[in-house]
Every structure is written in C-alpha cells, then in structure tokens.
C-alpha cells in the first residue's frame, strides 16, 4: 500500500526525519508513537509532500515522491492535521463537500454521524466558532469523505474530551475497513488501537513490533521524567 | 426603455408589492410606492434626486437599482432616506454596470435613522470584467437614540474599478452601527475606503469590518476611524486584506478615545493567504488555484 524507502524529511535546512524504511498495509492501523519533537508531524508532512524529502514514497507501487500535495491526494493519500486550520467564512458543509469524493450531501451526513456530530454543525463556520473537539472531528469526517487508500492521522486525540475521543475511535475503525491507516500519537495508551506499532525517536524508527511490546519499551525508556502528554 | 426596464428587473428582482426605484443613467425608469414607504424621484441638472420616507415597520424589501447598461455613461444620484421614529426597513441596492467600458457613478446618500428605528442597506455592485469604472460613493448617516444602522457594500462580481467610498456615521445614545465592505479587486483596480464612525451617545456601539482581496496590480487604501465620545461606548475595527500577485494594500485603523469610559479596539491583517489553509485543501485534492478560490470566497462571504 504505502512503502517508504530511505525517506528523509527536511524542515528548512535541517534533516528531521532520517532514512526511514517501512511498509504499511491495507486494512491495518499502524501506530507511530513518539514523544513531542521526535518528528511525527514532519514525517506525516513529508509523506504527504508538504516538506522536502529525499528517498522514495510509493503508493500502490507508484512513485509519488515528486508529486505535489494535491496530486498525491487525488491518488488516495491524505492527512488529518494535528491542529486543523481555521477558515474565515467557510462553512463546515462547504469544507466537507469539497473533501467529499462524490460531492454528495448524503455522504457528508453519514460522515458526521460516524464522528458523532449533529447536522447543525454543517452551517457553522470553520473559524473560532468550533470547539477544539469539533474541529478535530470535522477534520476526521473530511478524511473519511475522501475515501482514501492511505490516511495519516496526526494526533487525532490531542486536545479533546472523552466523548470526542470515543467518536474519533469510531472514525478510525471506519477508516480501517477501507484503507491503510497511519495513526500518529504521543499517547502510549493509543497503541492498542493499532495492529502494529513503531517507535519514532529523533527522526528514526528505533523499534517496531506488536503494540504491547512497543508500549512496554516506551514506558521503560521514555516515560521517566516525562508526563503522559509527552512534555 | 422597455428592454432596459426588463433588464433591471432581472438584476433587482423586486417582489409583488415591494417599493422599487429603477434609475438608468440619470433617468428615472420606474418608481413603485408601497405601504409605509414613499419614494419620490426627479431628474434635474444631470442629477437624480431621490427622497425616500419610511413611516412604519415594513417586512418587505425596498429595491433600488442604479444601472448603466450601455458601454459608456455617467450617473449622479443624490438621495435622502428618512426613517421615522420606530420604523424598520431593509433596502437592497443593485449598482449594475455589466457592459462598462467607460462609466462613472457618483452617489451621495443621506440617511436619517429616527429614534428606535432600524435601517439595513445592502449595496451590491455588478460590474463588467473590463473597462474603466469609477465609483464615488458617500454615505452620511445619523442614527437616533436606540436606532440601528447596518450598511454592507459588496463589489465582487466583475472588476471593482476605481472605488472611492466614504462613510460617515454619527450615533446617539444606545444606537448601533455595523458597516461592512467586501471587495474583490484585480487588474489595476484602485480602492479607497474612508470609513468614519462617531460614537457620540452613551452606550452606543459600532463595528467597521472590511474584507478586500486584491490580485494582479490592484491597490487599496482603507482608512477606518472610530471616535469614542459617549460614556460606555464600544467600537471595533476589523480589517482583513488578502494580497496576491503584485497587489498592494494600506490599512489605517484609527481609534480616537475622547472619554475614559469608552473602549475601542482594532485589528488589521494584510498579507497573502495562509499557507496552512492552502495546504489543508490540497490534502483534500484541490489544486492551489481551486483552494485559493474557496478561501477567497469564504473571506468575502
Ligand atoms: N519550521 C521548522 N523549522 C525547523 N525545525 C522545525 C520546524 N518545525 C519543527 N521543527 C523541528 O522538527 C522537530 C520535529 O518536530 P515535529 O515533527 O513537529 O515533532 P512532533 O510532531 O513529533 O512533535 C523538532 O525538533 C522541531 O523543533
Ligand atoms: Mg506533531
């Protein structure tokens, strides 16, 4: 589905992600766990084409590492942002309709139901009138609507309450049915949402394995002096 | 004349029993009075003089249409709108210059909003995409005790042209005013907005909001000033301008507080579209141009 070969990602002149090689498969949730600053968002942006990279990114066998962001999106790769952008004047409905593959309102209604939002959200503006939890759930609904082949979720659980958390979990399960999911998080409790887990540290994957194994290793090596928020 | 009247009807779309005035160049094409609204208009000395009096609360819209359907022409409008105490009305004004090659439209509108009266005026400009269009507009308003004044000026269809728009609003005790301009400029369009609000009365409140999107070689100067004189008066200036290509913009938000118990705030942001917004929409499969259009549409909504 998604293959990375010797992928490095740069922010400015700095090499943040260093020589990552990994394969991610369909109908699986791959958790990428790492403390803050380990390079998770940079990896996500590199795969999506937002930051410059070297090495190879293949989607279903096609080399996409030289394609602009929207061409990758049109081929079925997408990203739900950690801190989704605010848009003045743009209504949630418009945002979800442009995201939607079929541009059908019925699909939009299905997606907001999965993430537990009510229909009244559709007429709200994508500015500060949405709460943090609503913004994250709208973001998840928008990637659901794209019917992606590969989706990267960057900290979908950060800054939200328990109710939103359960809804986001439902959204991830819905995505797993159709897609290959990369779930990026600093929250070790989330590794059990995954079928397989990777530990990212200082721009490198330093360990990979079954979720329980990775969580244990993370607890032993990274939680000392670091609270659960990863700070 | 019939084809002109029909064309103006298509732009303005007045409903049955709605007060209407159509002016083409400096000719009065049609006036329709309605319950609670009296319109008088007369053409003299290359000017059209319009008097509108609202004498009750009306639910129906008052339609104004100022058009030049030819390629060239001039239009000068002098209007007085009187909202008697306790009345309310919503005006939809269409300024239509769809074939403009060389057009000039000057208007001076005096509005007197009585005590407890509510005045809402939406002016939409529909211009051609090319040609020389000069708009000089001046609105002078006085808003009575507990009255409200809402003015919106929209020019986003066709090229804006040269727009010089001045607004002077004076508010008495507990009066409210909201003025908003939404303009899309391109080519060598030149936009000059001069928006002034005087919060004279106690507890009066006002907002000046401006949204301008400039492309190519368009330029804008937006001067907004609120003067806080009344005790507990509150005012806010909110100006956002988006620049693309070689456009230039200057914003001068001024707040002048003359009473320590008045409070005025302002924000102005000028710059290109936020990269994060573009990137987000590109992750949903939109090209950069498609993303730009959607963001701009939102800002001008
Ligand atoms: N714009 C930038 N320019 C240079 N370095 C940056 C920039 N943004 C982030 N970084 C650095 O990249 C590293 C990884 O950041 P990031 O990918 O955001 O980590 P994470 O998402 O895991 O918290 C950090 O050390 C951070 O300081
Ligand atoms: Mg991050």
């Amino acid at each position: 589905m998604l293959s990375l070969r010797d992928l490095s990602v740069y922010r400015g002149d700095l090499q943040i992600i260093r020589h990552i090689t990994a394969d991610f498969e369909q109908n699986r949730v791959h958790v990428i766990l790492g403390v803050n600053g380990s390079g998770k968002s940079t990896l996500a942006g590199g795969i999506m084409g937002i930051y410059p990279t070297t090495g190879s990114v293949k989607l279903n066998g096609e080399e996409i590492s030289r394609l602009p962001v929207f061409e990758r999106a049109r081929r079925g790769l997408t990203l739900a942002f950690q801190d989704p952008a605010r848009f003045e004047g743009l209504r949630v409905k418009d945002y979800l309709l442009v995201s939607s593959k079929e541009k059908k309102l019925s699909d939009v209604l299905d997606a907001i139901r999965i993430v537990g939002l009510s229909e009244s959200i559709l007429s709200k503006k994508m500015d500060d009138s949405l709460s943090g939890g609503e913004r994250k759930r709208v973001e998840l609904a928008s990637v659901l609507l794209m019917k992606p082949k590969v989706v990267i979720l960057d900290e979908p659980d950060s800054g939200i309450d328990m109710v939103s958390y359960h809804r986001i979990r439902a959204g991830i399960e819905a995505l797993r049915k159709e897609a290959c999911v990369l779930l990026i998080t600093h929250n070790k409790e989330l590794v059990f949402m995954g079928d397989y887990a990777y530990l990212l540290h200082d721009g490198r994957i330093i360990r990979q394995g079954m979720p329980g194994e990775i969580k244990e290793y993370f607890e032993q090596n990274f939680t000392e002096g670091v609270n659960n928020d990863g700070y | 004349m019939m084809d002109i009247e029909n064309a103006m009807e298509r732009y303005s779309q007045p409903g049955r029993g709605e007060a209407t005035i159509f002016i083409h160049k400096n000719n009065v094409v049609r006036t329709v009075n309605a319950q609670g609204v009296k319109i008088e208009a007369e053409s003299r000395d290359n000017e059209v003089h319009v008097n509108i009096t609202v004498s009750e609360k009306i639910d129906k819209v008052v339609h104004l249409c100022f058009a030049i359907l030819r390629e060239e022409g001039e239009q000068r409008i002098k209007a007085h709108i009187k909202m008697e105490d306790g009345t309310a009305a919503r005006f939809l004004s269409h300024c239509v210059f769809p074939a403009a090659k060389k057009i000039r439209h000057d208007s001076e509108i005096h509005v007197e909003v009585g005590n407890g009266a509510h005045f809402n005026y939406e002016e939409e400009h529909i211009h051609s995409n090319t040609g020389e269009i000069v708009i000089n507009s001046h609105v002078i308003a006085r808003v009575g005790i507990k009255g409200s004044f809402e003015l919106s000026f929209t020019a986003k269809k066709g090229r804006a042209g040269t727009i010089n728009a001045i607004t002077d609003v004076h508010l008495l005790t507990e009066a409210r005013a909201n003025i908003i301009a939404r303009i899309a400029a391109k080519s060598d369009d030149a936009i000059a907005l001069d928006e002034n609000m005087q919060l004279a009365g106690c507890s009066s409140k006002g907002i000046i909001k401006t949204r301008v999107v400039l492309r190519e070689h368009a330029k804008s100067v937006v001067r907004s000033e609120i003067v806080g004189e009344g005790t507990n008066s509150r005012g806010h200036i909110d100006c956002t301008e988006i620049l693309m290509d070689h456009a230039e913009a200057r914003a001068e938000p001024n707040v002048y507080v003359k009473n320590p118990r008045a409070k005025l705030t302002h924000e102005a942001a000028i710059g290109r579209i936020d990269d994060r917004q573009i990137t987000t929409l590109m992750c949903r499969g939109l090209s950069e141009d498609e993303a730009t259009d959607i963001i701009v549409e939102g800002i001008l909504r």
Side-chain angles (χ1 to χ4, degrees):
Chain A
M1 262 285 134
L2 182 76
S3 308
L4 312 180
R5 292 288 174 275
D6 198 27
L7 181 73
S8 292
V9 187
Y10 299 79
R11 302 287 289 263
D13 290 338
L14 289 178
Q15 184 187 31
I16 304 289
I17 293 296
R18 302 152 198 267
H19 310 288
I20 286 187
T21 291
D23 289 293
F24 304 103
E25 281 148 42
Q26 188 161 13
N27 305 121
R28 281 179 156 233
V29 175
H30 310 79
V31 174
I32 298 174
L33 180 66
V35 296
N36 268 8
S38 57
K40 302 181 298 298
S41 294
T42 304
L43 174 61
I47 296 171
M48 196 66 226
I50 299 167
Y51 307 127
T53 58
T54 57
S56 154
V57 181
K58 279 188 179 163
L59 181 66
N60 278 335
E62 184 193 2
E63 182 62 53
I64 59 166
S65 63
R66 293 290 154 259
L67 294 179
V69 175
F70 73 97
E71 290 287 1
R72 299 184 198 204
R74 287 177 186 179
R75 282 165 172 73
L77 173 67
T78 197
L79 165 62
F81 286 87
Q82 177 174 355
D83 180 18
R86 289 157 175 77
F87 293 87
E88 176 176 349
L90 186 65
R91 285 172 309 171
V92 170
K93 182 180 166 186
D94 304 325
Y95 180 59
L96 294 179
L97 274 174
V98 300
S99 306
S100 164
K101 197 165 183 180
E102 325 279 351
K103 316 276 177 240
K104 282 202 309 233
L105 191 61
S106 58
D107 289 352
V108 169
L109 293 171
D110 288 343
I112 60 169
R113 207 170 307 124
I114 291 172
V115 300
L117 291 168
S118 68
E119 225 173 287
S120 64
I121 194 94
L122 293 177
S123 56
K124 287 200 185 173
K125 302 271 175 67
M126 298 275 297
D127 53 19
D128 289 323
S129 52
L130 296 183
S131 73
E134 284 172 336
R135 195 185 315 283
K136 293 287 247 197
R137 288 191 272 167
V138 167
E139 186 71 355
L140 191 58
S142 81
V143 300
L144 278 165
L145 281 162
M146 286 190 69
K147 304 197 191 312
K149 296 188 182 107
V150 177
V151 56
I152 310 167
L153 306 174
D154 192 356
E155 312 244 18
D157 64 314
S158 69
I160 58 167
D161 57 22
M162 271 321 275
V163 180
S164 302
Y165 176 83
H166 287 296
R167 291 314 189 152
I168 279 173
R169 207 174 161 136
I172 293 171
E173 287 313 315
L175 281 166
R176 181 213 298 266
K177 289 195 190 111
E178 309 290 336
C180 160
V181 182
L182 273 63
L183 173 56
I184 286 179
T185 184
H186 68 254
N187 179 357
K188 63 185 161 63
E189 305 306 329
L190 241 59
V191 295
F192 292 112
M193 279 196 205
D195 303 290
Y196 198 69
Y198 299 81
L199 185 56
L200 188 70
H201 177 63
D202 201 11
R204 290 188 167 86
I205 288 174
I206 56 164
R207 211 163 182 95
Q208 53 184 291
M210 298 313 286
E213 208 181 305
I214 295 303
K215 184 183 180 221
E216 195 175 321
Y217 184 85
F218 184 79
E219 281 171 340
Q220 284 165 1
N221 295 278
F222 289 91
T223 36
E224 213 173 313
V226 180
N227 67 27
N228 277 341
D229 283 335
Y231 294 106
Chain B
M1 215 58 172
M2 209 51 211
D3 55 327
I4 286 178
E5 198 167 344
N6 288 341
M8 291 178 80
E9 189 135 333
R10 273 200 303 282
Y11 288 107
S12 189
Q13 300 193 343
R16 261 180 190 285
E18 291 183 332
T20 305
I21 179 161
F22 285 179
I23 294 170
H24 186 255
K25 290 186 161 179
N26 285 325
N27 306 310
V28 181
V29 175
R30 181 202 287 178
T31 52
V32 178
N33 287 310
Q35 170 79 29
V37 192
K38 196 172 116 203
I39 304 181
E40 292 165 336
E42 179 191 13
S43 198
R44 70 176 121 90
D45 312 329
N46 294 323
E47 274 186 350
V48 183
H49 295 257
V50 182
N51 271 300
I52 303 177
T53 308
V54 176
S55 56
E56 54 188 87
K57 274 199 172 93
I58 53 171
D59 305 326
K60 288 186 171 156
V61 172
V62 180
H63 290 268
L64 314 172
C65 187
F66 306 110
I68 299 175
L69 301 172
R70 311 275 184 252
E71 292 178 351
E72 298 191 5
E74 292 195 3
Q75 182 168 58
R76 287 172 66 85
I77 310 287
K78 270 218 170 112
H80 279 85
I81 302 177
K82 184 173 166 63
M83 303 284 299
E84 293 182 350
D85 291 351
T87 59
R90 176 165 168 243
F91 294 77
L92 277 186
S93 163
H94 288 90
C95 295
V96 183
F97 313 110
K101 281 206 172 132
K102 193 167 168 52
I103 294 253
R104 178 183 166 128
H105 163 95
D106 292 357
S107 71
E108 188 180 302
I109 303 177
H110 293 260
V111 186
E112 201 182 315
V113 181
N115 297 334
H118 300 289
F119 173 80
N120 185 323
Y121 191 96
E122 294 166 34
E123 176 167 322
E124 187 186 355
H125 282 251
I126 298 159
H127 296 177
S128 68
N129 267 312
T130 51
E132 209 181 291
I133 300 176
V134 178
I135 307 290
N136 294 306
S137 133
H138 193 177
V139 175
I140 304 106
R142 198 183 134 87
V143 189
I145 297 166
K146 295 193 179 175
S148 74
F149 176 89
E150 306 240 351
L151 175 68
S152 96
F153 179 100
T154 307
K156 50 186 191 184
K157 290 189 181 140
R159 67 173 293 190
T162 300
I163 296 181
N164 297 300
I166 307 172
T167 314
D168 289 299
V169 186
H170 183 100
L171 287 87
L172 299 183
T173 301
E174 289 183 48
R176 304 268 175 281
N178 213 330
I179 64 185
I180 172 155
R182 303 178 185 89
I183 299 172
K186 59 186 177 191
S187 183
D188 58 354
D189 288 347
I191 311 302
L193 303 181
D194 189 344
E195 303 157 316
N196 303 282
M197 206 178 265
Q198 202 174 353
L199 302 176
C202 302
S203 302
S204 54
K205 277 199 178 116
I207 296 175
I208 301 176
K209 187 168 162 179
T210 313
R211 295 291 180 268
V212 184
V213 176
L214 301 124
R215 297 176 199 249
E216 297 163 8
H217 289 274
K219 287 189 171 60
S220 76
V221 179
V222 177
R223 225 197 112 265
S224 320
E225 178 166 287
I226 303 187
V227 181
E229 285 180 0
T231 300
N232 293 329
S233 58
R234 296 280 177 275
H236 183 63
I237 296 171
D238 170 5
C239 173
T240 299
E241 298 188 67
I242 299 290
L243 299 185
M244 286 178 251
D245 311 318
H246 304 282
E248 290 177 19
R250 196 160 88 206
E252 293 176 26
N254 293 312
V255 287
Y256 180 9
V257 181
K258 289 189 174 176
N259 179 329
R261 294 190 55 195
K263 186 174 173 186
L264 308 180
T265 50
H266 67 83
E267 55 188 314
I270 302 183
R272 55 195 211 122
I273 293 178
D274 182 2
D275 273 340
R276 268 166 42 86
Q277 295 179 339
I278 298 268
T279 307
T280 300
L281 294 175
M282 296 216 297
C283 288
R284 305 292 169 261
L286 277 70
S287 69
E288 189 167 342
D289 286 348
E290 291 167 339
T292 301
D293 287 346
I294 284 187
I295 294 162
V296 163
E297 212 174 285
I299 289 166
L300 293 177
R301 180 167 288 140

